Structures are given as structure tokens and as C-alpha cells.
């Protein structure tokens, strides 16, 4: 059976140099890009429903600074809006739920929450701000997490590219000769394997939409930001290169005898980066949400490269930076499959390969943002079993 990510997935823990906390600037930049949509959705929900208690959930929060940025942003939006409405002291109470898989570093997250609370108390002692409460919520977002019709706003940043598991059947099918070494879709992946990745995405994303539909109040909204694909061609994805280079690095360690080839043959990443067309098709098929916005933007692979140009100025430095990002995200998954001893060598090799790639071609990551509102009446009369 393919490993379920609930058993093993988490980002690199703690707050050290290789931790997710210290290596989440790409996500921070994406958060900045989606601020206007977050503002629009939060205001619309508040205007339409005027909840006295507004329930807001961050799905796949991990344990880095972006989660608290999101919390802080929603508090500020409501605060500003109430001032604009002339009711500066009549805020709703905000209840935040920070969700991730049980293996997430919730201890580190709770320390960040505590620091955040102390900083807001110090900075805003005299000001009236919406009262807020923050709870952690372990569990997979591919399961029900909340009671029916209890959440006003869902948010998820850089998570929906994760599948609930590597596609079922891959091990049974076995990698064909030309697929050996692949850990995700590459230009030479056989169509039968590509189809399994696509089916897993369709199944997971449909389920996710149905579950969130059940949990949202009518008029509630949802904002999803995740790694996607710029073009419809499934073999063309920009993230295919990113994971392809990781596959090549693993292969080179296998060639040197540092890891077992059979281990590589049974390893696929539980991810899929869809195109906008694939995402929209599923939302429309499900018929549960009105799409307010769907767009795609691009971001440089190197989180510290803020330039717009198509040239990488220091490919060695960029290689190291990209390797840090991918290590913070993939390290636990790679370590649980291949063992911890390969990590330093693997990500050094990876940094080298990324640098070589960027020298030839500045590749960017495609990011999809989707903001939706729960339809008042579903086309399906009842989806609650
Ligand atoms: C790249 S991190 C993004 C964290 C944070 N939202 C940010 O932007 O910095 C992706 C997170 O999604 C979580 N995740 C993946 N699949 C999940 C699932 N099925 N249920 C809950 N969390 C999940 C991972 O554990 C990880 O913490």
C-alpha cells in the first residue's frame, strides 16, 4: 500500500537553519500577493453575515511565521473595516483554528502563537482590537475537521499540491523501465502513471471541496493558494523540473551506492501540480461553490531573488537557496524512506544541479489562487451522509 501522508508528512521541525520556520520565504511572498483577495473575502463574509463570532481556519498551517502573518492580517482587516463602518468598538470575536497533520511541529507553532500574543498586547495595549482566540487542530484536511456549517472563512497557503497519498496502484503497476528514477512526472513518464497522478488529484480535490462545503456556513468563503502548472500540458510543469532535479540527485546517490536502487524504484512524491483548467473543471463539476477569482502568478525558484528579469545573477547562491527550501519541505519524507544519513550529500548534489539548471534557464514556480463562495443551494440536495 502507498504510504498515507498522514503517517509521515511534516515540514522540517524546530527553528534551526534547515527548519521550515527559517525557510518559508516563497510562501511569505505568495501571502503578500494574495492580500487583496483575503481582504475582499474577509470583508464580504463579514458584510453578508455579521457574525458575532467569526470562525477562521488556516488549513496546512505548518509551524512558521506565515501562519501568524495570516492571523494578524485577518485581525487587521476586521479592525480596519469596523472603524470604517463607524463601529470601532463593536468587533466580532475571532476564533482561529490552525490545522495541520498530527506530525506537524505544533510545539514550535504554539511558541510562535505565544510570541505573537505578547507582541500584540505590547503594541496595541491602548487600542481596541478584535478579541481573538487561537487553537491548534491536528488532522488531515482530506477528512472532516469541523461541525456542519460552523466555519466562516477557510484559508490554505501552499498545501493543496499535496495529495492524500502517492497515487494508488503505482507500486502494483511497478515503474516501467523508462520510469525508473522518476519520483514525479517527467517528460518520459508513461501515460498510465501520469493518469494515476491525475486521478489522485481529482479524487482528493473533489473530496476537499465537499468536506469544506459541509463545514462552511452559507455565504462563507474559501481562499486556496497552491503550486500549479502554467500550461495545460502535464509534462511541461515548472515544478516537474524542480522535482526532476531531486530525482536525478537521488539517482546519482544510488549510482554511487549511497542508497538502494530498489528504494528509489518504490518512491513517488504524494503531490500533483494542476493547471488552472484542471482546477476549474473540478470546481464546476462539483457545483458547490461560486468562483470569485482564479488566477495564476509566477514566483522565482530562489526565494531571495526578487528580480523580475529572466537571468539568474548568482546561480551558485540560488542553487543553495532553492535546496534549502526543498530540504525544509521534503527532508522528513525523504529521510523516512531513504534514511537520514543521505540528507547532507543529497541536498548538496541537488543545490549543484539546480545551479546548473538555472544557469541555462531561469525557471519559475506557477502558483494558483482560487477564491470561492459557498453557493446558497447545492445542485446536489444532500451531500452529508
Ligand atoms: C509548504 S507547507 C505550507 C505551510 C504554511 N501554510 C505556509 O504557507 O507557510 C505545507 C503544509 O501542508 C501540510 N499538509 C499537507 N497535506 C495536509 C493534509 N492532508 N492535511 C493537513 N495539512 C496538510 C503539511 O504538513 C505542511 O505543513
Amino acid at each position: 500500500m502507498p504510504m498515507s501522508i498522514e503517517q509521515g508528512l511534516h515540514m522540517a521541525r524546530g527553528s534551526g537553519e534547515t527548519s521550515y520556520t527559517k525557510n518559508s520565504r516563497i510562501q511569505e511572498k505568495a501571502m503578500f500577493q494574495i492580500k487583496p483577495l483575503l481582504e475582499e473575502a474577509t470583508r464580504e463574509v463579514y458584510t453578508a453575515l455579521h457574525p458575532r463570532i467569526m470562525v477562521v481556519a488556516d488549513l496546512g498551517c505548518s509551524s512558521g511565521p506565515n501562519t501568524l502573518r495570516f492571523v494578524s492580517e485577518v485581525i487587521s482587516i476586521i479592525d480596519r473595516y469596523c472603524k470604517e463602518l463607524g463601529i470601532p468598538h463593536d468587533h466580532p470575536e475571532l476564533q482561529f483554528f490552525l490545522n495541520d497533520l498530527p506530525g506537524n511541529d505544533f510545539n514550535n507553532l504554539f511558541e510562535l502563537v505565544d510570541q505573537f500574543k505578547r507582541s500584540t498586547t505590547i503594541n496595541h495595549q491602548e487600542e481596541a482590537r478584535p478579541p481573538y482566540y487561537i487553537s491548534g487542530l491536528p488532522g488531515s484536511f482530506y477528512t472532516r475537521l469541523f461541525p456542519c456549517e460552523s466555519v466562516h472563512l477557510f484559508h490554505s497557503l501552499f498545501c493543496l499540491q499535496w495529495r492524500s497519498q502517492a497515487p494508488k496502484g503505482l507500486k502494483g503497476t511497478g515503474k516501467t523501465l523508462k520510469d525508473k528514477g522518476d519520483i514525479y512526472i517527467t517528460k518520459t513518464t508513461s501515460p498510465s502513471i501520469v493518469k494515476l497522478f491525475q486521478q489522485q488529484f481529482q479524487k482528493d480535490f473533489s473530496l476537499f471541496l465537499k468536506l469544506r462545503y459541509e463545514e462552511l456556513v452559507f455565504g462563507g468563503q474559501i481562499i486556496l493558494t497552491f503550486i500549479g502548472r502554467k500550461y495545460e500540458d502535464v509534462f511541461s510543469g515548472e515544478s516537474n523540473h524542480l522535482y526532476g532535479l531531486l530525482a536525478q540527485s537521488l539517482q546519482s546517490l544510488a549510482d554511487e551506492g549511497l542508497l538502494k536502487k530498489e528504494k528509489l524504484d518504490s518512491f513517488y512524491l504524494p503531490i500533483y501540480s494542476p493547471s488552472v483548467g484542471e482546477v476549474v473543471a473540478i470546481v464546476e463539476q462539483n457545483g458547490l461553490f461560486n468562483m470569485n477569482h482564479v488566477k495564476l502568478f509566477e514566483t522565482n525558484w530562489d526565494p531571495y531573488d526578487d528580480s523580475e528579469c529572466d537571468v539568474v545573477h548568482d546561480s551558485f547562491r540560488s542553487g543553495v537557496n532553492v535546496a534549502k527550501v526543498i530540504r525544509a519541505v521534503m527532508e522528513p519524507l525523504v529521510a523516512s524512506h531513504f534514511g537520514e544519513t543521505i540528507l547532507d550529500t543529497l541536498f548538496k548534489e541537488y543545490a549543484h544541479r539546480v545551479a546548473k539548471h538555472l544557469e541555462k534557464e531561469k525557471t519559475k514556480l506557477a502558483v494558483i489562487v482560487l477564491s470561492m463562495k459557498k453557493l446558497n443551494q447545492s445542485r446536489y440536495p444532500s451531500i452529508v451522509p
Side-chain angles (χ1 to χ4, degrees):
M1 280 288 287
M3 186 187 77
S4 150
I5 62 163
E6 279 168 58
Q7 294 155 4
L9 185 71
H10 59 87
M11 305 295 101
R13 294 186 173 124
S15 52
E17 271 316 296
T18 55
S19 65
Y20 181 77
T21 300
K22 286 269 162 68
N23 292 287
S24 48
R25 191 167 189 261
I26 286 208
Q27 294 81 349
E28 179 191 343
K29 290 195 325 192
M31 171 94 223
F32 188 76
Q33 292 256 5
I34 65 150
K35 265 187 183 184
L37 293 187
L38 180 62
E39 172 125 20
E40 182 183 297
T42 311
R43 281 172 173 246
E44 276 183 20
V45 168
Y46 185 62
T47 310
L49 305 171
H50 275 286
R52 291 315 306 153
I53 299 170
M54 188 162 166
V55 177
V56 180
D58 189 27
L59 303 178
C61 62
S62 195
S63 64
N66 299 326
T67 314
L68 278 311
R69 280 196 188 98
F70 164 70
V71 168
S72 166
E73 196 57 33
V74 173
I75 296 172
S76 300
I77 292 168
I78 290 292
D79 189 32
R80 272 200 305 276
Y81 196 31
C82 287
K83 283 187 181 129
E84 270 175 46
L85 293 173
I87 47 165
H89 298 286
D90 194 20
H91 302 115
E93 293 189 284
L94 299 175
Q95 169 73 67
F96 290 96
F97 286 98
L98 307 183
N99 154 260
D100 209 292
L101 292 166
N104 183 49
D105 193 349
F106 279 103
N107 281 339
N108 188 52
L109 178 64
F110 291 154
E111 277 175 29
L112 295 173
V113 167
D114 190 50
Q115 284 166 21
F116 172 76
K117 280 187 178 163
R118 278 189 274 123
S119 76
T120 52
T121 320
I122 292 164
N123 297 335
H124 303 285
Q125 243 165 2
E126 311 304 330
E127 286 178 37
R129 300 260 292 176
Y132 65 88
Y133 306 88
I134 304 180
S135 306
L137 176 59
S140 169
F141 50 57
Y142 294 120
T143 65
R144 272 291 293 271
L145 295 167
F146 294 94
C148 277
E149 296 176 20
S150 62
V151 180
H152 296 91
L153 185 68
F154 277 117
H155 169 262
S156 178
L157 183 66
F158 267 62
C159 303
L160 262 287
Q161 68 275 6
W162 286 101
R163 307 278 52 86
S164 59
Q165 58 184 22
K168 261 195 186 139
L170 281 180
K171 275 191 186 160
T173 316
K175 294 186 188 185
T176 63
L177 207 53
K178 73 173 177 165
D179 295 327
K180 274 202 191 296
D182 282 0
I183 60 172
Y184 184 60
I185 299 165
T186 65
K187 286 213 175 331
T188 56
T189 305
S190 32
S192 58
I193 290 190
V194 172
K195 201 165 168 207
L196 290 172
F197 272 101
Q198 287 176 316
Q199 284 170 343
Q200 189 66 48
F201 162 70
Q202 286 155 3
K203 195 171 150 218
D204 283 343
F205 194 51
S206 284
L207 176 65
F208 179 89
L209 293 178
K210 283 184 181 153
L211 296 167
R212 301 300 79 85
Y213 179 86
E214 290 169 5
E215 294 166 343
L216 268 181
V217 300
F218 287 108
Q221 299 208 17
I222 179 161
I223 302 186
L224 306 173
T225 309
F226 49 93
I227 299 175
R229 205 170 72 237
K230 190 171 175 187
Y231 301 107
E232 286 306 317
D233 176 8
V234 69
F235 297 100
S236 77
E238 302 70 19
S239 56
N240 298 26
H241 287 302
L242 205 60
Y243 307 130
L245 292 166
L246 186 60
Q248 288 170 20
S249 310
L250 284 163
Q251 184 66 59
S252 102
L253 264 62
D255 293 342
E256 287 175 44
L258 297 175
L259 61 88
K260 290 207 172 89
K261 286 200 160 70
E262 309 82 69
K263 279 265 170 197
L264 186 52
D265 286 345
S266 61
F267 185 68
Y268 274 108
L269 293 174
I271 52 172
Y272 182 75
S273 310
S275 66
V276 169
E278 286 174 309
V279 170
V280 169
I282 294 177
V283 176
E284 285 179 348
Q285 247 168 43
N286 280 41
L288 303 172
F289 292 95
N290 256 344
M291 271 181 287
N292 297 335
H293 300 278
V294 55
K295 45 186 168 188
L296 183 140
F297 64 88
E298 290 181 282
T299 187
N300 292 329
W301 274 8
D302 177 356
Y304 295 97
D305 177 355
D306 294 334
S307 70
E308 300 279 328
C309 68
D310 286 329
V311 183
V312 175
H313 294 294
D314 183 348
S315 55
F316 174 77
R317 175 66 17 223
S318 286
V320 171
N321 291 344
V322 175
K324 279 182 161 182
V325 174
I326 296 300
R327 181 169 183 167
V329 173
M330 296 292 176
E331 179 181 295
L333 199 68
V334 171
S336 76
H337 192 82
F338 297 102
E340 283 185 2
T341 48
I342 65 158
L343 292 173
D344 287 341
T345 319
L346 174 68
F347 286 103
K348 212 168 153 195
E349 175 69 25
Y350 183 62
H352 172 72
R353 284 177 187 267
V354 171
K356 284 250 173 250
H357 173 86
L358 289 177
E359 244 168 48
K360 284 186 277 161
E361 182 189 347
K362 182 169 179 178
T363 323
K364 300 184 182 189
L365 211 54
V367 181
I368 294 178
V369 192
L370 178 63
S371 104
M372 301 181 289
K373 184 172 167 186
K374 176 170 169 168
L375 278 177
N376 278 348
Q377 212 127 51
S378 160
R379 279 203 263 128
Y380 304 92
S382 169
I383 56 162
V384 185

